Amino acid sequence: MLSIVLLGTGNLAKHLFDGFQNQEHIKVKQVYGRNKKALSYFQKETSTTTNSNAIEEASVYIIAVSDDSITAVSELLKTKNGIVAHTSGSVAISALPSSVNRGVFYPLQTFSENRAVDFKEVPICIEAENTNDLEILKNLASEISDTVMEVSSKQRKDLHLAAVFVNNFTNHLYQIGHEICEKSQISFAVLEPLILETALKIKTLSPLEAQTGPAKRNDYGTMEKHIKDLQNKNHKEVYSVLSNSIQKTYGKKL
Amino acid sequence: MLSIVLLGTGNLAKHLFDGFQNQEHIKVKQVYGRNKKALSYFQKETSTTTNSNAIEEASVYIIAVSDDSITAVSELLKTKNGIVAHTSGSVAISALPSSVNRGVFYPLQTFSENRAVDFKEVPICIEAENTNDLEILKNLASEISDTVMEVSSKQRKDLHLAAVFVNNFTNHLYQIGHEICEKSQISFAVLEPLILETALKIKTLSPLEAQTGPAKRNDYGTMEKHIKDLQNKNHKEVYSVLSNSIQKTYGKKL
């Protein structure tokens, strides 16, 4: 049985908590958070505390707070013997105090309130400073996910950056599509099958092979018309820069 | 029974042909194309011709060729009585000869070779110049799809433009993610669950609500680090422009 103390009360903390609950070999002993109200989510199922001096002993401390707060929260665990792991994509393992058994437990997924996540499908990237700790984190991750990977701080940083492109920026393109539809009184839902197929396609074709559209085929006439048709200055700029980037990508391959 | 002549032999023509086959009330009588070899795909199941003078009579002529060739191909049908419909998102109905019964039959999806498409899930946007023709196109579209919409040339143009953002540009962001992973020796497949969740999420949250990331929360520190970490000049520019566009989007809402 792996005992866990979870530090943090946000989206990720809640999703992790739900993922850990009902796992036979995992027990979340306690959730720590500064905000008493936010702790209510966990209260029915485990003990909670706002007092950093009352943090219990555990095999693994999982820090699920914003990047900026990781160092401060990890300082509270300086005297603990368990593994102290943060959950961030972009923070190095070295941001944790050198006195603790440092680790990283990074679930590569986007977590939203009111949207359940099946952890089995979420890749978990782990890192530790010795093989014993790595083994413990691997066991913990394997309890909830089918994909567990050892990833260095450098690789994790790159992965997080790639995630910004495929998740944050992609969602913004959906938002632009939404604005164009709204302006033209078309339901955005009409684009959903296309959005889904675009995402599914790359499981069988590489994005390089899957690319289509006016920029890919150097169709300057259509691109000019499109930029002219766009009313929003931002949309025009995004259109130009992405078209240009596509053209450069395929120019390179000639 | 609706009789159809299909003009064109590319990806879309093939997918439409496959969609129409086995439909009880539709018969593809003939496929016309200039390229004899490309016609071989259809030969086993229907008659084909490269001779524009041999095009048969039909209820509906579906033109599935590149945008640039639509006018030239539709000229071949000037004396036909059936509906002459093109399948393009960005070409107006008026591009067809005024002597024919003009129509549009635009399936809003991305079609790739070697990737089957379930037409039931593909919205089909139709347009015609009289209610009778509209009814016929509606019946035809309803045979293969669950979503049939009457859409004006102007709306269709906007829809196509929105599709460039959510499909072409999104795929390019996947490509950038792929390049970042490759450089860092990480398998791109690790990003697939995130890509899929990003696409699925907008069925329950609007893109505006679903937005996350450093640009959304005005986290300048992370954005600066990211731009510094990106090695590729193109990637840097795409990062800046999209982050900027996200910030403007949310700035507007304050």
Side-chain angles (χ1 to χ4, degrees):
Chain A
M1 174 70 77
L2 273 169
S3 62
I4 293 184
V5 169
L6 194 57
L7 299 102
T9 56
N11 265 331
L12 177 56
K14 286 177 187 165
H15 281 289
L16 278 174
F17 182 75
D18 294 343
F20 289 143
Q21 289 300 95
N22 307 319
Q23 298 299 334
E24 215 183 323
H25 305 108
I26 302 176
K27 181 174 172 52
V28 180
K29 285 177 78 170
Q30 190 184 38
V31 178
Y32 163 83
R34 283 178 308 174
N35 182 333
K36 202 166 183 174
K37 206 177 149 197
L39 284 169
S40 65
Y41 183 88
F42 311 92
Q43 250 152 12
K44 274 189 198 157
E45 301 183 60
T46 191
S47 89
T48 61
T49 184
T50 56
N51 178 1
S52 59
N53 294 317
I55 295 173
E56 293 180 30
E57 292 299 322
S59 314
V60 186
Y61 297 86
I62 302 271
I63 302 176
V65 300
S66 67
D67 288 2
D68 294 345
S69 310
I70 288 172
T71 300
V73 170
S74 64
E75 295 284 331
L76 308 174
L77 305 167
K78 263 178 150 173
T79 61
K80 301 293 185 191
N81 292 315
I83 300 169
V84 174
H86 76 64
T87 51
S88 164
S90 51
V91 174
I93 195 170
S94 57
L96 298 169
S98 57
S99 64
V100 303
N101 294 309
R102 302 192 274 202
V104 179
F105 189 92
Y106 170 51
L108 182 57
Q109 188 51 282
T110 170
F111 298 95
S112 306
E113 224 180 317
N114 303 323
R115 195 170 154 80
V117 162
D118 178 6
F119 265 101
K120 283 271 163 253
E121 304 284 330
V122 178
I124 297 182
C125 305
I126 56 167
E127 187 180 0
E129 293 181 308
N130 63 63
T131 46
N132 188 42
D133 290 355
L134 200 64
E135 204 53 40
I136 293 171
L137 291 180
K138 197 177 280 176
N139 288 341
L140 177 61
S142 304
E143 288 288 327
I144 58 170
S145 168
D146 287 340
T147 311
V148 181
M149 302 164 61
E150 196 190 335
V151 161
S152 71
S153 284
K154 165 75 173 72
Q155 283 180 314
R156 186 160 34 78
K157 198 173 67 169
D158 290 337
L159 209 41
H160 180 255
L161 188 44
V164 169
F165 280 88
V166 305
N167 167 249
N168 299 163
F169 291 165
T170 289
N171 184 75
H172 185 58
L173 296 181
Y174 299 163
Q175 168 62 16
I176 294 179
H178 194 285
E179 289 174 22
I180 294 171
C181 284
E182 207 166 35
K183 205 165 181 303
S184 197
Q185 293 180 294
I186 307 160
S187 159
F188 176 65
V190 180
L191 289 174
E192 280 173 10
L194 177 63
I195 284 171
L196 189 58
E197 171 67 10
T198 306
L200 288 172
K201 202 189 253 191
I202 46 133
K203 290 190 181 213
T204 52
L205 291 174
S206 75
L208 200 72
E209 294 166 315
Q211 190 64 55
T212 55
K216 162 74 187 294
R217 55 176 195 271
N218 287 311
D219 177 351
Y220 288 98
T222 299
M223 286 190 276
E224 268 171 41
K225 262 193 281 178
H226 278 166
I227 289 174
K228 205 176 136 232
D229 286 344
L230 287 165
Q231 303 289 310
N232 182 309
K233 214 183 127 195
N234 256 359
H235 297 179
K236 280 182 202 280
E237 197 180 3
V238 170
Y239 189 101
S240 296
V241 167
L242 285 170
S243 293
N244 197 16
S245 180
I246 291 172
Q247 290 185 287
K248 280 187 190 157
T249 301
Y250 289 88
K252 273 191 287 181
K253 310 283 158 186
L254 290 177
Chain B
M1 172 69 75
L2 273 169
S3 62
I4 292 183
V5 169
L6 194 57
L7 298 100
T9 55
N11 265 331
L12 177 56
K14 285 176 189 166
H15 281 289
L16 277 174
F17 182 76
D18 294 342
F20 289 144
Q21 289 301 95
N22 307 321
Q23 298 299 332
E24 216 184 322
H25 305 106
I26 302 175
K27 180 175 170 52
V28 180
K29 285 177 76 172
Q30 191 185 36
V31 178
Y32 163 81
R34 282 180 308 174
N35 182 333
K36 203 166 183 176
K37 206 177 148 196
L39 285 168
S40 65
Y41 183 86
F42 310 92
Q43 251 152 12
K44 274 187 199 159
E45 300 183 61
T46 190
S47 89
T48 61
T49 184
T50 56
N51 178 2
S52 60
N53 294 316
I55 295 172
E56 292 180 32
E57 293 299 322
S59 313
V60 186
Y61 296 86
I62 303 271
I63 301 175
V65 300
S66 67
D67 288 3
D68 294 344
S69 309
I70 288 173
T71 301
V73 170
S74 64
E75 294 284 333
L76 308 174
L77 306 167
K78 261 178 151 172
T79 61
K80 301 293 185 190
N81 292 315
I83 300 170
V84 174
H86 75 64
T87 51
S88 165
S90 52
V91 173
I93 195 170
S94 58
L96 298 169
S98 58
S99 64
V100 302
N101 294 308
R102 302 191 275 202
V104 178
F105 190 93
Y106 170 51
L108 182 57
Q109 189 48 283
T110 170
F111 298 96
S112 307
E113 227 180 312
N114 305 324
R115 195 169 152 82
V117 162
D118 177 6
F119 265 100
K120 282 274 162 251
E121 303 285 329
V122 178
I124 297 183
C125 306
I126 55 167
E127 186 179 2
E129 294 182 305
N130 63 63
T131 47
N132 189 42
D133 290 354
L134 201 63
E135 207 51 42
I136 292 171
L137 290 181
K138 199 177 278 176
N139 288 340
L140 177 62
S142 303
E143 288 287 327
I144 58 170
S145 169
D146 287 341
T147 312
V148 182
M149 304 166 60
E150 196 190 333
V151 162
S152 71
S153 284
K154 165 74 172 73
Q155 283 178 315
R156 185 159 34 78
K157 198 173 68 170
D158 289 338
L159 209 40
H160 180 253
L161 189 45
V164 169
F165 281 89
V166 305
N167 167 247
N168 300 162
F169 291 165
T170 289
N171 183 75
H172 185 57
L173 295 181
Y174 298 163
Q175 168 62 17
I176 294 178
H178 193 285
E179 288 172 23
I180 294 171
C181 285
E182 207 167 35
K183 206 166 179 304
S184 198
Q185 294 178 295
I186 307 159
S187 161
F188 175 66
V190 180
L191 291 173
E192 280 173 10
L194 177 62
I195 285 172
L196 189 59
E197 171 67 9
T198 306
L200 288 172
K201 201 188 249 190
I202 47 135
K203 290 191 180 212
T204 51
L205 292 174
S206 75
L208 200 72
E209 294 165 316
Q211 190 65 57
T212 56
K216 163 73 188 295
R217 55 176 195 271
N218 287 312
D219 177 350
Y220 289 98
T222 299
M223 286 191 276
E224 268 170 44
K225 261 193 281 177
H226 279 166
I227 289 174
K228 205 178 135 233
D229 286 344
L230 287 165
Q231 302 292 310
N232 182 310
K233 214 183 129 196
N234 257 0
H235 298 178
K236 279 182 201 281
E237 196 180 5
V238 170
Y239 189 102
S240 296
V241 167
L242 285 170
S243 293
N244 197 15
S245 180
I246 291 171
Q247 290 186 287
K248 281 187 187 157
T249 301
Y250 289 86
K252 274 191 289 184
K253 310 283 156 189
L254 288 178

Short mmCIF file of all heavy atoms in Angstrom, two decimals, chain B residues 180-227:
data_model
loop_
_atom_site.label_atom_id
_atom_site.label_comp_id
_atom_site.label_asym_id
_atom_site.label_seq_id
_atom_site.Cartn_x
_atom_site.Cartn_y
_atom_site.Cartn_z
N ILE B 180 9.02 19.37 -32.30
CA ILE B 180 9.61 19.58 -30.97
C ILE B 180 9.90 18.23 -30.31
O ILE B 180 10.98 18.01 -29.75
CB ILE B 180 8.68 20.44 -30.08
CG1 ILE B 180 8.56 21.86 -30.65
CG2 ILE B 180 9.20 20.50 -28.63
CD1 ILE B 180 7.49 22.73 -29.98
N CYS B 181 8.95 17.30 -30.41
CA CYS B 181 9.14 15.96 -29.82
C CYS B 181 10.33 15.24 -30.46
O CYS B 181 11.16 14.64 -29.79
CB CYS B 181 7.89 15.10 -30.01
SG CYS B 181 6.55 15.56 -28.90
N GLU B 182 10.37 15.32 -31.78
CA GLU B 182 11.42 14.63 -32.53
C GLU B 182 12.81 15.11 -32.09
O GLU B 182 13.71 14.31 -31.84
CB GLU B 182 11.22 14.92 -34.02
CG GLU B 182 11.75 13.83 -34.92
CD GLU B 182 11.25 14.03 -36.35
OE1 GLU B 182 11.11 15.19 -36.78
OE2 GLU B 182 11.00 13.00 -37.02
N LYS B 183 12.92 16.43 -31.98
CA LYS B 183 14.20 17.03 -31.59
C LYS B 183 14.62 16.57 -30.19
O LYS B 183 15.79 16.46 -29.89
CB LYS B 183 14.03 18.55 -31.60
CG LYS B 183 15.31 19.31 -31.82
CD LYS B 183 15.04 20.75 -32.16
CE LYS B 183 16.35 21.50 -32.36
NZ LYS B 183 17.26 21.44 -31.23
N SER B 184 13.62 16.31 -29.34
CA SER B 184 13.90 15.94 -27.96
C SER B 184 13.83 14.42 -27.76
O SER B 184 13.85 13.94 -26.62
CB SER B 184 12.87 16.65 -27.05
OG SER B 184 13.31 16.69 -25.72
N GLN B 185 13.73 13.71 -28.87
CA GLN B 185 13.66 12.24 -28.85
C GLN B 185 12.54 11.68 -27.97
O GLN B 185 12.73 10.77 -27.16
CB GLN B 185 15.01 11.65 -28.42
CG GLN B 185 16.09 11.95 -29.49
CD GLN B 185 17.44 11.44 -29.10
OE1 GLN B 185 18.04 11.93 -28.12
NE2 GLN B 185 17.95 10.47 -29.83
N ILE B 186 11.37 12.30 -28.13
CA ILE B 186 10.17 11.81 -27.46
C ILE B 186 9.20 11.37 -28.56
O ILE B 186 9.12 12.01 -29.61
CB ILE B 186 9.49 12.95 -26.65
CG1 ILE B 186 10.49 13.62 -25.70
CG2 ILE B 186 8.29 12.42 -25.90
CD1 ILE B 186 10.06 15.01 -25.26
N SER B 187 8.49 10.30 -28.33
CA SER B 187 7.51 9.85 -29.31
C SER B 187 6.33 10.80 -29.35
O SER B 187 5.72 11.13 -28.33
CB SER B 187 7.02 8.44 -28.95
OG SER B 187 5.81 8.19 -29.61
N PHE B 188 5.97 11.25 -30.56
CA PHE B 188 4.84 12.17 -30.73
C PHE B 188 3.54 11.53 -30.23
O PHE B 188 2.61 12.24 -29.81
CB PHE B 188 4.73 12.55 -32.21
CG PHE B 188 3.54 13.39 -32.56
CD1 PHE B 188 3.43 14.69 -32.08
CD2 PHE B 188 2.53 12.91 -33.38
CE1 PHE B 188 2.33 15.48 -32.40
CE2 PHE B 188 1.43 13.69 -33.70
CZ PHE B 188 1.33 14.98 -33.22
N ALA B 189 3.49 10.21 -30.25
CA ALA B 189 2.26 9.49 -29.82
C ALA B 189 1.87 9.85 -28.39
O ALA B 189 0.69 9.76 -28.03
CB ALA B 189 2.46 7.99 -29.96
N VAL B 190 2.84 10.27 -27.58
CA VAL B 190 2.55 10.66 -26.19
C VAL B 190 1.56 11.82 -26.15
O VAL B 190 0.82 11.97 -25.18
CB VAL B 190 3.87 11.04 -25.47
CG1 VAL B 190 3.59 11.44 -24.03
CG2 VAL B 190 4.86 9.91 -25.52
N LEU B 191 1.55 12.63 -27.20
CA LEU B 191 0.65 13.79 -27.22
C LEU B 191 -0.76 13.44 -27.68
O LEU B 191 -1.67 14.26 -27.58
CB LEU B 191 1.22 14.89 -28.12
CG LEU B 191 2.48 15.60 -27.62
CD1 LEU B 191 3.01 16.53 -28.70
CD2 LEU B 191 2.18 16.41 -26.36
N GLU B 192 -0.96 12.24 -28.21
CA GLU B 192 -2.26 11.89 -28.81
C GLU B 192 -3.45 12.01 -27.84
O GLU B 192 -4.48 12.58 -28.22
CB GLU B 192 -2.23 10.50 -29.43
CG GLU B 192 -1.57 10.52 -30.80
CD GLU B 192 -1.35 9.14 -31.39
OE1 GLU B 192 -1.89 8.15 -30.83
OE2 GLU B 192 -0.63 9.04 -32.39
N PRO B 193 -3.33 11.52 -26.60
CA PRO B 193 -4.49 11.68 -25.69
C PRO B 193 -4.81 13.16 -25.43
O PRO B 193 -5.98 13.53 -25.34
CB PRO B 193 -4.03 10.98 -24.40
CG PRO B 193 -2.97 10.02 -24.84
CD PRO B 193 -2.27 10.69 -25.98
N LEU B 194 -3.79 14.00 -25.35
CA LEU B 194 -4.01 15.43 -25.12
C LEU B 194 -4.70 16.06 -26.34
O LEU B 194 -5.63 16.86 -26.20
CB LEU B 194 -2.66 16.12 -24.86
CG LEU B 194 -2.70 17.63 -24.68
CD1 LEU B 194 -3.53 18.03 -23.47
CD2 LEU B 194 -1.28 18.20 -24.57
N ILE B 195 -4.23 15.69 -27.53
CA ILE B 195 -4.82 16.20 -28.76
C ILE B 195 -6.30 15.80 -28.85
O ILE B 195 -7.16 16.62 -29.18
CB ILE B 195 -4.01 15.68 -29.97
CG1 ILE B 195 -2.69 16.46 -30.06
CG2 ILE B 195 -4.80 15.77 -31.27
CD1 ILE B 195 -1.70 15.93 -31.09
N LEU B 196 -6.57 14.55 -28.52
CA LEU B 196 -7.95 14.06 -28.60
C LEU B 196 -8.85 14.75 -27.57
O LEU B 196 -9.96 15.18 -27.88
CB LEU B 196 -7.96 12.54 -28.41
CG LEU B 196 -9.30 11.86 -28.69
CD1 LEU B 196 -9.77 12.11 -30.11
CD2 LEU B 196 -9.20 10.35 -28.44
N GLU B 197 -8.34 14.89 -26.35
CA GLU B 197 -9.13 15.54 -25.29
C GLU B 197 -9.40 17.00 -25.64
O GLU B 197 -10.48 17.52 -25.38
CB GLU B 197 -8.40 15.42 -23.94
CG GLU B 197 -8.99 16.22 -22.79
CD GLU B 197 -10.37 15.74 -22.33
OE1 GLU B 197 -10.82 14.68 -22.78
OE2 GLU B 197 -11.00 16.46 -21.52
N THR B 198 -8.42 17.68 -26.24
CA THR B 198 -8.59 19.07 -26.66
C THR B 198 -9.74 19.18 -27.66
O THR B 198 -10.56 20.10 -27.61
CB THR B 198 -7.28 19.61 -27.30
OG1 THR B 198 -6.20 19.39 -26.37
CG2 THR B 198 -7.37 21.08 -27.63
N ALA B 199 -9.80 18.21 -28.58
CA ALA B 199 -10.86 18.20 -29.60
C ALA B 199 -12.22 17.84 -29.01
O ALA B 199 -13.24 18.38 -29.40
CB ALA B 199 -10.49 17.24 -30.72
N LEU B 200 -12.22 16.91 -28.06
CA LEU B 200 -13.49 16.44 -27.49
C LEU B 200 -14.09 17.46 -26.52
O LEU B 200 -15.30 17.56 -26.36
CB LEU B 200 -13.29 15.11 -26.76
CG LEU B 200 -13.07 13.90 -27.66
CD1 LEU B 200 -12.68 12.68 -26.83
CD2 LEU B 200 -14.32 13.59 -28.49
N LYS B 201 -13.19 18.19 -25.85
CA LYS B 201 -13.63 19.09 -24.79
C LYS B 201 -14.62 20.13 -25.28
O LYS B 201 -15.55 20.51 -24.56
CB LYS B 201 -12.38 19.79 -24.24
CG LYS B 201 -12.53 20.36 -22.88
CD LYS B 201 -11.31 21.19 -22.54
CE LYS B 201 -10.46 20.56 -21.47
NZ LYS B 201 -9.41 21.49 -20.99
N ILE B 202 -14.43 20.60 -26.52
CA ILE B 202 -15.29 21.69 -27.03
C ILE B 202 -16.71 21.22 -27.33
O ILE B 202 -17.55 22.01 -27.73
CB ILE B 202 -14.69 22.36 -28.28
CG1 ILE B 202 -14.22 21.30 -29.26
CG2 ILE B 202 -13.55 23.28 -27.90
CD1 ILE B 202 -14.62 21.62 -30.64
N LYS B 203 -16.98 19.92 -27.15
CA LYS B 203 -18.37 19.48 -27.26
C LYS B 203 -19.15 19.85 -26.01
O LYS B 203 -20.37 19.94 -26.02
CB LYS B 203 -18.44 17.96 -27.46
CG LYS B 203 -17.95 17.52 -28.82
CD LYS B 203 -18.29 16.06 -29.08
CE LYS B 203 -17.78 15.66 -30.44
NZ LYS B 203 -18.60 14.65 -31.10
N THR B 204 -18.44 20.03 -24.89
CA THR B 204 -19.14 20.36 -23.64
C THR B 204 -18.78 21.75 -23.10
O THR B 204 -19.54 22.33 -22.34
CB THR B 204 -18.86 19.31 -22.55
OG1 THR B 204 -17.45 19.14 -22.44
CG2 THR B 204 -19.48 17.96 -22.91
N LEU B 205 -17.61 22.24 -23.49
CA LEU B 205 -17.21 23.60 -23.10
C LEU B 205 -16.99 24.42 -24.37
O LEU B 205 -16.50 23.87 -25.36
CB LEU B 205 -15.88 23.57 -22.34
CG LEU B 205 -15.80 22.94 -20.97
CD1 LEU B 205 -14.34 22.91 -20.50
CD2 LEU B 205 -16.64 23.72 -19.97
N SER B 206 -17.33 25.69 -24.37
CA SER B 206 -16.99 26.51 -25.54
C SER B 206 -15.48 26.70 -25.55
O SER B 206 -14.83 26.63 -24.50
CB SER B 206 -17.68 27.86 -25.46
OG SER B 206 -17.04 28.67 -24.50
N PRO B 207 -14.87 26.93 -26.73
CA PRO B 207 -13.42 27.16 -26.77
C PRO B 207 -13.00 28.31 -25.85
O PRO B 207 -11.92 28.29 -25.27
CB PRO B 207 -13.13 27.50 -28.23
CG PRO B 207 -14.30 27.05 -29.01
CD PRO B 207 -15.46 26.97 -28.09
N LEU B 208 -13.87 29.28 -25.70
CA LEU B 208 -13.56 30.42 -24.83
C LEU B 208 -13.41 29.95 -23.38
O LEU B 208 -12.51 30.38 -22.66
CB LEU B 208 -14.69 31.46 -24.94
CG LEU B 208 -14.35 32.87 -24.50
CD1 LEU B 208 -13.44 33.55 -25.51
CD2 LEU B 208 -15.61 33.71 -24.33
N GLU B 209 -14.29 29.05 -22.95
CA GLU B 209 -14.21 28.51 -21.59
C GLU B 209 -13.07 27.52 -21.45
O GLU B 209 -12.48 27.37 -20.38
CB GLU B 209 -15.51 27.78 -21.23
CG GLU B 209 -16.74 28.65 -21.14
CD GLU B 209 -18.03 27.83 -21.13
OE1 GLU B 209 -18.16 26.88 -21.95
OE2 GLU B 209 -18.90 28.15 -20.32
N ALA B 210 -12.77 26.81 -22.52
CA ALA B 210 -11.79 25.72 -22.44
C ALA B 210 -10.35 26.22 -22.48
O ALA B 210 -9.42 25.47 -22.18
CB ALA B 210 -12.01 24.74 -23.60
N GLN B 211 -10.15 27.49 -22.83
CA GLN B 211 -8.79 28.00 -22.99
C GLN B 211 -7.98 27.94 -21.69
O GLN B 211 -8.47 28.35 -20.64
CB GLN B 211 -8.82 29.44 -23.51
CG GLN B 211 -7.46 29.97 -23.94
CD GLN B 211 -6.90 29.21 -25.14
OE1 GLN B 211 -7.54 29.14 -26.17
NE2 GLN B 211 -5.73 28.63 -25.00
N THR B 212 -6.77 27.43 -21.78
CA THR B 212 -5.84 27.44 -20.65
C THR B 212 -4.46 27.84 -21.19
O THR B 212 -4.31 28.11 -22.37
CB THR B 212 -5.73 26.05 -19.99
OG1 THR B 212 -5.35 25.10 -21.00
CG2 THR B 212 -7.04 25.62 -19.36
N GLY B 213 -3.47 27.86 -20.33
CA GLY B 213 -2.10 28.10 -20.79
C GLY B 213 -1.55 29.45 -20.38
O GLY B 213 -2.28 30.31 -19.90
N PRO B 214 -0.23 29.62 -20.59
CA PRO B 214 0.45 30.85 -20.15
C PRO B 214 -0.13 32.13 -20.74
O PRO B 214 -0.25 33.13 -20.01
CB PRO B 214 1.91 30.65 -20.59
CG PRO B 214 1.97 29.38 -21.37
CD PRO B 214 0.72 28.63 -21.14
N ALA B 215 -0.53 32.12 -22.00
CA ALA B 215 -1.04 33.36 -22.61
C ALA B 215 -2.38 33.74 -21.96
O ALA B 215 -2.62 34.91 -21.66
CB ALA B 215 -1.21 33.19 -24.11
N LYS B 216 -3.21 32.75 -21.73
CA LYS B 216 -4.52 33.00 -21.11
C LYS B 216 -4.36 33.67 -19.74
O LYS B 216 -5.09 34.57 -19.39
CB LYS B 216 -5.27 31.67 -20.99
CG LYS B 216 -6.45 31.65 -20.02
CD LYS B 216 -7.66 32.40 -20.56
CE LYS B 216 -8.76 32.55 -19.51
NZ LYS B 216 -9.36 31.29 -19.11
N ARG B 217 -3.37 33.19 -18.97
CA ARG B 217 -3.21 33.74 -17.62
C ARG B 217 -2.15 34.84 -17.54
O ARG B 217 -1.68 35.20 -16.46
CB ARG B 217 -2.94 32.62 -16.60
CG ARG B 217 -1.79 31.71 -16.87
CD ARG B 217 -1.56 30.69 -15.75
NE ARG B 217 -0.23 30.10 -15.93
CZ ARG B 217 0.04 29.03 -16.66
NH1 ARG B 217 -0.92 28.37 -17.26
NH2 ARG B 217 1.28 28.60 -16.79
N ASN B 218 -1.78 35.37 -18.74
CA ASN B 218 -0.79 36.46 -18.80
C ASN B 218 0.48 36.14 -18.02
O ASN B 218 1.02 37.00 -17.31
CB ASN B 218 -1.41 37.77 -18.30
CG ASN B 218 -2.40 38.35 -19.29
OD1 ASN B 218 -2.11 38.45 -20.47
ND2 ASN B 218 -3.58 38.71 -18.79
N ASP B 219 0.96 34.91 -18.17
CA ASP B 219 2.15 34.47 -17.47
C ASP B 219 3.38 34.78 -18.34
O ASP B 219 3.87 33.95 -19.10
CB ASP B 219 2.01 32.96 -17.20
CG ASP B 219 3.22 32.34 -16.52
OD1 ASP B 219 4.27 33.02 -16.42
OD2 ASP B 219 3.12 31.17 -16.12
N TYR B 220 3.83 36.03 -18.24
CA TYR B 220 4.90 36.51 -19.12
C TYR B 220 6.21 35.75 -18.93
O TYR B 220 6.94 35.50 -19.87
CB TYR B 220 5.13 38.02 -18.92
CG TYR B 220 3.99 38.85 -19.46
CD1 TYR B 220 2.98 39.32 -18.62
CD2 TYR B 220 3.90 39.13 -20.82
CE1 TYR B 220 1.91 40.06 -19.12
CE2 TYR B 220 2.84 39.86 -21.34
CZ TYR B 220 1.85 40.32 -20.48
OH TYR B 220 0.81 41.04 -20.98
N GLY B 221 6.48 35.37 -17.69
CA GLY B 221 7.72 34.64 -17.39
C GLY B 221 7.81 33.36 -18.22
O GLY B 221 8.80 33.11 -18.91
N THR B 222 6.73 32.55 -18.18
CA THR B 222 6.72 31.29 -18.92
C THR B 222 6.78 31.54 -20.43
O THR B 222 7.51 30.86 -21.16
CB THR B 222 5.47 30.47 -18.56
OG1 THR B 222 5.51 30.19 -17.16
CG2 THR B 222 5.41 29.17 -19.33
N MET B 223 6.04 32.55 -20.89
CA MET B 223 6.05 32.83 -22.34
C MET B 223 7.45 33.20 -22.82
O MET B 223 7.90 32.73 -23.86
CB MET B 223 5.04 33.93 -22.66
CG MET B 223 3.60 33.43 -22.60
SD MET B 223 2.41 34.62 -23.28
CE MET B 223 2.14 35.67 -21.86
N GLU B 224 8.12 34.03 -22.05
CA GLU B 224 9.48 34.42 -22.45
C GLU B 224 10.41 33.21 -22.48
O GLU B 224 11.21 33.05 -23.41
CB GLU B 224 10.03 35.46 -21.47
CG GLU B 224 9.77 36.89 -21.93
CD GLU B 224 10.10 37.90 -20.84
OE1 GLU B 224 11.16 37.76 -20.19
OE2 GLU B 224 9.28 38.82 -20.62
N LYS B 225 10.30 32.37 -21.47
CA LYS B 225 11.14 31.16 -21.42
C LYS B 225 10.85 30.27 -22.64
O LYS B 225 11.75 29.74 -23.26
CB LYS B 225 10.87 30.38 -20.12
CG LYS B 225 11.90 30.63 -19.03
CD LYS B 225 11.77 29.62 -17.90
CE LYS B 225 10.61 29.97 -16.96
NZ LYS B 225 10.39 29.01 -15.88
N HIS B 226 9.56 30.12 -22.95
CA HIS B 226 9.19 29.27 -24.08
C HIS B 226 9.79 29.78 -25.39
O HIS B 226 10.36 29.01 -26.17
CB HIS B 226 7.67 29.19 -24.20
CG HIS B 226 7.05 28.19 -23.26
ND1 HIS B 226 5.71 28.15 -23.00
CD2 HIS B 226 7.60 27.19 -22.53
CE1 HIS B 226 5.46 27.16 -22.14
NE2 HIS B 226 6.59 26.58 -21.84
N ILE B 227 9.67 31.08 -25.60
CA ILE B 227 10.18 31.63 -26.86
C ILE B 227 11.69 31.47 -26.93
O ILE B 227 12.26 31.16 -27.97
CB ILE B 227 9.74 33.11 -27.02
CG1 ILE B 227 8.22 33.13 -27.29
CG2 ILE B 227 10.50 33.79 -28.15
CD1 ILE B 227 7.61 34.50 -27.33
#
